[in-house]
Amino acid sequence: MHEKRFIPIVILLVLGLSGVFYILRSSTADNKLVASGTIEATESRVGSTVGGRVDAVLVREGDAVRAGQVLVEVHPAGSGRAAGRELVHAPFNGVVLYRAIEPGEVASPATPLITVADLENLTLTVYIAEDRYGLLKLEQEYPVTVDSYPNQVFTGTISYIADQAEFTPRNVQTTDNRKTTVFAVKLDLPPSDGKLKPGMPADVHFDEALP
C-alpha cells in the first residue's frame, strides 16, 4: 500500500532537482560558472487580414524565404471572381517553420497561416545566481557551446541583463529555496551557417570572457 504512494513522490523530487540543476548549472570545485539555456529565434506568424479561400500556398516547411516574398494567395471572402487576390508576404529573410493551411481551405481573418523564423538572429537566455550577477556587463562576449558540435565554440554577446530578480525554483515554496534568486541574461548569437537552431540546448561559459 505505502510503496505505491512512495514512488510518485520520489519521481517528483528527482524532476524538481533536475530542473534546478538545468537552470543554474553553475560552479564546480574550481568556481567556474556555466549557465544553460535554449536557443531561440525571432518568429513571425503571418496571415490574411480579411480572410477567404486560399488559392495557393507557395512555400513548404523548411523553405528559405526572402523579405517580401509571396507566401500565400487568398481570394477574399464575399468577393466576385474579378476581385483582386490578397497576397501574404514574408516579413523578413528566414525559414518557414510551420505551414498551417492548404490550397482550397478557408482562412479566417488574422489567423496565422505561415510561421517564419529569422535564423540569422538567434538569442540565448540563461539565469544567473544573484551572487554572480555583478560580474556581468552588457556587450561582453562569452564562449557558447552545444552538444551537437562539441569541438566548436560559438560567441554570445550579452544584450540584456534583467534589473529584477526571479525566484527559483518556481514551484517550491519553502523559505530556504525562496532565498535563492536569479537574474535573466540574454545573449545574441551571430550567424552560424545553420549550425545553431531554435530549441537547441546551449551552455554559456561565463568564466571565460572573450577579449
Side-chain angles (χ1 to χ4, degrees):
M1 293 290 293
H2 298 291
E3 189 173 352
K4 292 183 179 179
R5 296 178 180 176
F6 178 72
I7 292 176
I9 296 175
V10 173
I11 293 175
L12 288 174
L13 288 174
V14 171
L15 290 175
L17 291 174
S18 299
V20 177
F21 178 79
Y22 182 74
I23 293 174
L24 284 176
R25 187 168 68 84
S26 58
S27 42
T28 59
D30 53 5
N31 205 35
K32 290 187 175 181
L33 176 61
V34 179
S36 300
T38 302
I39 296 175
E40 300 175 331
T42 299
E43 296 182 8
S44 178
R45 298 170 177 83
V46 295
S48 169
T49 57
V50 297
R53 188 188 69 252
V54 175
D55 289 339
V57 181
L58 305 176
V59 293
R60 297 172 297 180
E61 293 181 357
D63 284 354
V65 296
R66 306 292 297 178
Q69 179 178 335
V70 177
L71 307 179
V72 182
E73 297 178 359
V74 179
H75 190 82
S79 63
R81 296 186 62 86
R85 296 167 299 172
E86 180 186 10
L87 303 180
V88 178
H89 300 86
F92 44 66
N93 297 342
V95 173
V96 176
L97 286 187
Y98 308 109
R99 166 176 158 164
I101 199 73
E102 298 295 335
E105 295 181 350
V106 176
S108 300
T111 298
L113 304 180
I114 302 290
T115 300
V116 180
D118 181 1
L119 301 186
E120 295 300 309
N121 293 286
L122 300 175
T123 61
L124 174 63
T125 300
V126 296
Y127 294 87
I128 301 301
E130 188 173 10
D131 60 348
R132 310 298 289 272
Y133 171 78
L135 303 177
L136 308 180
K137 59 182 180 180
L138 292 173
E139 303 302 326
Q140 178 64 58
E141 297 181 343
Y142 293 94
V144 175
T145 58
V146 295
D147 293 340
S148 299
Y149 300 94
N151 298 320
Q152 186 167 355
V153 176
F154 303 90
T155 300
T157 304
I158 294 182
S159 59
Y160 170 79
I161 301 176
D163 55 5
Q164 292 186 347
E166 301 178 32
F167 288 115
T168 182
R170 298 174 185 272
N171 60 336
V172 175
Q173 297 299 322
T174 64
T175 303
D176 290 339
N177 280 320
R178 286 183 63 82
K179 291 180 180 178
T180 302
T181 57
V182 294
F183 290 83
V185 177
K186 179 180 289 187
L187 298 96
D188 292 337
L189 304 174
S192 61
D193 295 326
K195 293 181 179 179
L196 300 181
K197 294 179 173 59
M200 184 179 288
D203 297 326
V204 186
H205 302 262
F206 285 111
D207 55 297
E208 304 173 15
L210 299 174

